[in-house]
Amino acid sequence: MLKLIGINKIYKAGDMEVHALKNINLEFRESELVAVLGPSGCGKTTMLNIVGGLDKYTSGDLIINGISTKEYVDSDWDAYRNSTIGFVFQNYNLISHLTVIENVELALTLSGVSASERRARAEQALKEVGLETQFNKKPNQLSGGQMQRVAIARALVNNPDIVLADEPTGALDSVTSVQIMELLKEVAKTRLVIMVTHNGDLADRYANRIIRLLDGEIISDTNPIDSETLTENVARRPKKTSMSFITAFKLSLKNLFTKKLRTFVTAFAGSIGIIGVALILALSSGFSAYIEKMQTDTLSSFPLTITSSAFDVSNLMSMLQVPDAEEYPEAHEIYVNKVMDKLSALYQSNDITDEYVEEAIKTIDPSLTYGIVYTNGINFNIFTKQSYSGFNRITRIGSEWVQLVDNNDFINSQYDVLAGKLPTAYNELVLCVDEYNQVTDVELLQSLGILSGKDSYTFDEIMNLEFKLLTNDAVYSRVDTGEKTYFYEPDSLPEDEYNEGITLKIVGIVRVNQDTATGSISGTVGYHKDLQDYVLRYETENPSEIETWQKNNPDINCFTGNLYLDEAREENPTASDNFLQKEADKARVSNLASLGAVSTPQAISIYPVDFESKELIKAHLDAYNETEGNTPVYYSDMMGLMVEAMNVLVDAISYVLIAFTSISLVVSSIMIGVIISVSVLERTKEIGILKAIGARKKDISRVFNAESLLVGFAAGALGVIITLLLSIPLNILLSSLTTINGLVALNPWHALLLVAISMLLTFIAGLVPSRSAAKKDAVVALRSE
């Protein structure tokens, strides 16, 4: 089973060589108690360590189960120590932060034994050495004899072929020594036990074979083996070992809990960098959330809009750095010219056609919008009687009137109805007041036909106001001067014309509710979409004189009698003929639209349900623009542009601050690496014990890598917790300064990411000490205190 052939061991000490073992030739039976005696320094322990695979021989060969170990690599030696060898040491070499049963189980974890079987075998081994009541005690709670019994149970639990005992009674009293020897004698009935001892009396009394060494040589053997009588062993290699990460995790976790204060201080120091980054991310997230909420609240005020002309705003941000005109006059001039060229390129003329409305707008999924407002550019002929300087005056109003979204549920979600109801017919209007139930702006008051009068009005008085919608023929008068023809609107209309108009009345008064920052009614008076439809339909069925004349004279401005082209040239004297013609065509269409003679919308406002819906709508419109054969029509998303600009600014500031704060992360990681190095020094004996029971270099590294990850997790988690606690007073302070609540809000995903980063950094910092731990010599490690 075990044979030493010509074993030599030479230690080098500088230029000197020490021959610890000299040509050792030994063979052992499968079951016997062998005592190795000799004075200190004779090579007893060295031979034991070579047999146990803790030390390497210089020359010769060690035959194990019929296989030479000359070609053994580290993993073979690890597997050999785990499955074939059981160690019993003079100083017990138990791991202090593990319980008795966990110390015994440890060897089994390297053999891949299941948890239930591991527990059962460990309990049985402890019962066999008389410790069935001591399972959950720590080693420092046991006597010396009990600790040695634990060491024997650990040595036996993996059912090894060989038990190696190095001075097993050296630290025990005589009574306890006898008990341990009795135990080893019992063990030797079923396996080989090799014991190194100075106690010749115990050896004579219990050993059935005594080998004496002197100066590294065998001087006697009381029961040598006759090779011819030995049975040939079947050659077999030991099964490779592997420590699971869970085992490494448990070892490290228990070690950290034995040093709670140091672990907490280390984690706190490591958390400082995490706190800094977390606070910046929390502020960034909180501000982004505020921007998003602001965008949500104002989404109705900034819908997606499509007008007859638009800017390609995506490239507008590139024109910000203006050279100083005085310091760099040439550069400034070049810059201005370039900007003008860019502005010309950015300017897009939208051709909103009936085809576009049918194919791009009306095909939008209705569930994505609250409503779509089509504005035809009509200048409604709305008049009222005003009390002015003692007499009634009939005059045009309505400049602050806006079309309502055709969705009363949507309007109800934004506004409180203070009086009356929302419009449901073309001749019904609604008045929008501010939070104080006021309309204070003069122009807004004029839009109600209130030129002067009382300081305040009751809701009933407002709702009794009467307005008239008149036809174009009732409003516009034709003038022929001989040189030109044009149409004009008198300062005040006759009362009979006024009385023939269609009566419009305010049927409701509304106010933005507390949950809405800015509502969808951008003017003072809102009208139902049917009012626009009514005018378009009436003008189609009853073309007015001014409309008919304008269509028959497309080159002449019906309101001035001048050529559209001449007016365009007067406004743009240096522009090209092509540009002037486009401007003239636009002016003509605008005039016809104001008269209600153009059914195609001049502008479209789309009110998305939410941001996801808005993105889907934009994708739908983009798909139309990208379809071959379609003329692109550009939309504006002003809120999206503003939010994107603010988010870019917030992100830029956050990245800079995080970059500076991350320095503390690196410093704390280095500090944790130093602390892991200290832990390696403190746990040197544990490293030796783990190697003695078959742990590989990878397993040793894994133990300290697990410790690094645990410290990193503790630092990251502590940093996140402290950040959450700090966010409470910081939010109170910022709220008092800015009136904005919840500006410091750590995103849960950011919290998880920071914990992961902390673990990664500490893992990297712990790589060097963990590798140094794996490289430690097992014999030297076991001798450390």
Side-chain angles (χ1 to χ4, degrees):
M1 181 180 74
L2 178 65
K3 184 186 292 187
L4 285 73
I5 303 174
I7 293 292
N8 290 279
K9 179 62 179 179
I10 300 173
Y11 292 105
K12 290 186 177 181
D15 296 332
M16 295 179 60
E17 290 186 346
V18 178
H19 288 254
L21 294 177
K22 302 172 184 176
N23 195 34
I24 301 295
N25 290 281
L26 280 173
E27 194 164 358
F28 298 93
R29 299 176 180 87
E30 288 189 4
S31 59
E32 59 177 338
L33 177 54
V34 181
V36 181
L37 300 177
S40 297
C42 70
K44 304 186 302 297
T45 300
T46 300
M47 186 181 78
L48 203 69
N49 288 336
I50 287 174
V51 171
L54 291 176
D55 207 351
K56 306 292 175 60
Y57 50 84
T58 305
S59 63
D61 197 3
L62 178 67
I63 307 297
I64 302 168
N65 291 325
I67 297 177
S68 170
T69 60
K70 285 184 178 180
E71 304 300 324
Y72 265 29
V73 295
D74 286 345
S75 60
D76 293 318
W77 287 112
D78 296 334
Y80 165 67
R81 289 194 301 273
N82 180 255
S83 62
T84 305
I85 300 294
F87 282 99
V88 180
F89 301 99
Q90 176 182 354
N91 295 324
Y92 326 124
N93 286 341
L94 302 177
I95 297 177
S96 60
H97 54 266
L98 298 181
T99 63
V100 165
I101 198 164
E102 287 170 342
N103 268 281
V104 177
E105 282 184 333
L106 195 56
L108 295 172
T109 62
L110 300 173
S111 305
V113 178
S114 66
S116 58
E117 183 183 349
R118 195 164 66 226
R119 186 77 177 188
R121 286 170 61 176
E123 288 178 355
Q124 182 61 34
L126 286 168
K127 288 177 183 177
E128 289 176 0
V129 297
L131 295 176
E132 59 271 12
T133 61
Q134 312 294 325
F135 291 169
N136 296 315
K137 287 186 178 180
K138 294 288 181 67
N140 60 4
Q141 297 174 303
L142 304 178
S143 66
Q146 288 175 320
M147 284 193 282
Q148 195 60 288
R149 287 172 183 268
V150 175
I152 293 172
R154 181 181 62 191
L156 297 176
V157 74
N158 230 2
N159 194 27
D161 297 326
I162 304 167
V163 173
L164 302 178
D166 187 6
E167 298 283 0
T169 61
L172 304 176
D173 59 63
S174 57
V175 175
T176 308
S177 296
V178 169
Q179 293 173 350
I180 294 301
M181 288 307 300
E182 289 286 351
L183 192 55
L184 290 175
K185 183 179 178 180
E186 187 67 24
V187 171
K189 291 179 180 180
T190 57
R191 69 200 77 212
L192 171 62
V193 177
I194 302 175
M195 176 182 67
V196 168
T197 182
H198 285 94
N199 194 325
D201 293 338
L202 288 177
D204 291 335
R205 182 176 173 183
Y206 289 99
N208 47 25
R209 181 180 179 185
I210 298 175
I211 299 172
R212 296 182 184 275
L213 293 180
L214 181 64
D215 296 332
E217 296 179 297
I218 297 174
I219 59 173
S220 69
D221 185 347
T222 63
N223 190 12
I225 292 177
D226 181 2
S227 298
E228 294 181 0
T229 64
L230 286 177
T231 304
E232 189 72 22
N233 291 102
V234 178
R236 56 187 173 87
R237 297 180 74 92
K239 181 183 177 182
K240 296 293 177 69
T241 62
S242 178
M243 178 186 288
S244 68
F245 185 78
I246 294 176
T247 301
F249 177 85
K250 287 181 178 178
L251 284 172
S252 298
L253 186 62
K254 287 181 178 293
N255 177 65
L256 291 174
F257 270 105
T258 61
K259 305 176 181 67
K260 296 183 181 67
L261 180 60
R262 190 177 75 179
T263 301
F264 175 78
V265 172
T266 303
F268 179 74
S271 71
I272 293 174
I274 296 293
I275 294 169
V277 176
L279 283 174
I280 293 168
L281 288 174
L283 189 60
S284 174
S285 297
F287 194 75
S288 296
Y290 170 72
I291 293 174
E292 185 174 341
K293 182 180 182 302
M294 181 180 68
Q295 186 179 7
T296 302
D297 292 342
T298 57
L299 188 62
S300 58
S301 299
F302 295 91
L304 291 175
T305 57
I306 303 166
T307 58
S308 58
S309 60
F311 276 100
D312 182 6
V313 295
S314 59
N315 294 317
L316 209 55
M317 300 298 291
S318 64
M319 300 181 291
L320 295 177
Q321 300 298 324
V322 185
D324 185 78
E326 295 183 1
E327 190 172 357
Y328 307 104
E330 294 182 0
H332 181 82
E333 183 178 354
I334 293 172
Y335 174 84
V336 171
N337 291 334
K338 285 185 175 181
V339 169
M340 294 305 295
D341 292 340
K342 284 187 177 182
L343 285 174
S344 298
L346 292 172
Y347 181 80
Q348 305 290 342
S349 179
N350 277 336
D351 185 15
I352 302 176
T353 62
D354 291 334
E355 178 186 9
Y356 175 76
V357 172
E358 291 295 328
E359 295 184 7
I361 304 301
K362 291 187 177 180
T363 55
I364 294 174
D365 185 349
S367 66
L368 300 179
T369 72
Y370 286 121
I372 301 175
V373 174
Y374 301 93
T375 304
N376 291 73
I378 300 173
N379 183 20
F380 293 105
N381 300 320
I382 298 174
F383 291 78
T384 189
K385 289 182 179 179
Q386 291 180 319
S387 178
Y388 183 72
S389 300
F391 62 92
N392 290 330
R393 179 179 180 181
I394 299 171
T395 185
R396 176 188 287 274
I397 61 169
S399 60
E400 292 293 326
W401 291 25
V402 295
Q403 182 178 328
L404 300 174
V405 180
D406 189 21
N407 186 332
N408 281 354
D409 290 337
F410 172 54
I411 297 174
N412 276 320
S413 70
Q414 296 183 329
Y415 292 87
D416 294 325
V417 179
L418 305 179
K421 65 183 183 70
L422 295 177
T424 57
Y426 77 97
N427 61 341
E428 295 180 343
L429 310 171
V430 65
L431 172 69
C432 185
V433 297
D434 64 16
E435 58 183 318
Y436 305 108
N437 297 342
Q438 294 179 344
V439 179
T440 56
D441 188 277
V442 173
E443 291 185 4
L444 300 184
L445 290 171
Q446 288 179 346
S447 71
L448 291 171
I450 302 173
L451 189 62
S452 64
K454 300 185 298 183
D455 292 334
S456 63
Y457 293 83
T458 65
F459 286 171
D460 289 338
E461 288 175 321
I462 292 294
M463 294 178 69
N464 281 330
L465 290 176
E466 185 179 280
F467 310 95
K468 291 289 187 177
L469 173 66
L470 306 182
T471 63
N472 288 328
D473 286 334
V475 173
Y476 295 105
S477 300
R478 176 172 175 167
V479 176
D480 292 304
T481 64
E483 296 180 359
K484 60 182 179 179
T485 299
Y486 63 92
F487 292 78
Y488 82 102
E489 177 185 332
D491 291 337
S492 184
L493 294 179
E495 190 160 342
D496 58 342
E497 294 282 2
Y498 176 80
N499 291 333
E500 290 180 4
I502 295 173
T503 302
L504 307 179
K505 293 200 67 174
I506 294 176
V507 296
I509 299 175
V510 298
R511 180 181 62 201
V512 174
N513 59 37
Q514 294 180 348
D515 297 328
T516 305
T518 307
S520 58
I521 304 175
S522 58
T524 304
V525 178
Y527 58 87
H528 197 273
K529 81 173 190 68
D530 287 350
L531 179 62
Q532 178 174 267
D533 295 342
Y534 174 85
V535 172
L536 289 172
R537 186 171 58 255
Y538 181 88
E539 197 63 30
T540 299
E541 296 172 354
N542 307 280
S544 61
E545 181 184 10
I546 187 173
E547 173 193 343
T548 303
W549 187 92
Q550 179 66 85
K551 288 181 177 179
N552 293 333
N553 299 273
D555 297 331
I556 302 174
N557 188 330
C558 62
F559 294 114
T560 64
N562 301 322
L563 291 171
Y564 283 115
L565 201 57
D566 290 343
E567 291 180 344
R569 183 175 290 108
E570 185 177 347
E571 293 182 7
N572 306 276
T574 61
S576 65
D577 290 342
N578 185 49
F579 177 82
L580 293 174
Q581 186 59 54
K582 287 183 178 180
E583 291 298 300
D585 291 342
K586 283 169 55 181
R588 180 180 61 83
V589 173
S590 177
N591 279 350
L592 283 172
S594 70
L595 296 170
V598 178
S599 60
T600 304
Q602 301 298 294
I604 303 171
S605 298
I606 305 170
Y607 293 83
V609 171
D610 49 36
F611 294 114
E612 291 76 13
S613 299
K614 182 174 75 170
E615 294 306 313
L616 290 173
I617 294 169
K618 289 165 68 174
H620 175 81
L621 297 177
D622 291 339
Y624 175 87
N625 289 342
E626 293 166 4
T627 301
E628 186 177 356
N630 289 343
T631 301
V633 177
Y634 299 94
Y635 56 82
S636 297
D637 181 13
M638 294 305 297
M639 177 53 69
L641 178 66
M642 289 188 289
V643 168
E644 183 179 354
M646 285 190 286
N647 282 333
V648 168
L649 181 62
V650 171
D651 289 343
I653 295 173
S654 298
Y655 293 149
V656 171
L657 292 176
I658 288 172
F660 281 110
T661 311
S662 296
I663 297 174
S664 60
L665 273 179
V666 176
V667 173
S668 60
S669 298
I670 294 173
M671 181 204 68
I672 289 174
V674 173
I675 292 173
I676 298 296
S677 298
V678 173
S679 180
V680 169
L681 293 175
E682 291 177 344
R683 299 172 69 184
T684 299
K685 176 163 282 191
E686 182 181 337
I687 294 169
I689 296 170
L690 290 172
K691 288 197 169 187
I693 62 175
R696 303 169 301 168
K697 289 182 179 179
K698 290 181 180 179
D699 299 328
I700 303 299
S701 293
R702 189 171 288 171
V703 169
F704 290 97
N705 287 336
E707 184 167 326
S708 299
L709 289 172
L710 284 168
V711 172
F713 174 79
L718 190 60
V720 169
I721 292 170
I722 293 174
T723 300
L724 293 175
L725 293 175
L726 288 175
S727 66
I728 298 172
L730 285 175
N731 276 324
I732 294 173
L733 176 62
L734 291 173
S735 178
S736 65
L737 294 175
T738 64
T739 69
I740 302 173
N741 297 320
L743 269 182
V744 182
L746 185 61
N747 187 310
W749 289 110
H750 287 166
L752 293 175
L753 178 63
L754 287 173
V755 173
I757 289 173
S758 176
M759 294 175 69
L760 176 63
L761 290 176
T762 53
F763 174 77
I764 294 171
L767 285 177
V768 172
S770 67
R771 294 189 68 177
S772 70
K775 292 179 180 179
K776 283 188 177 295
D777 183 272
V779 175
V780 175
L782 285 168
R783 290 174 183 162
S784 67
E785 294 297 334

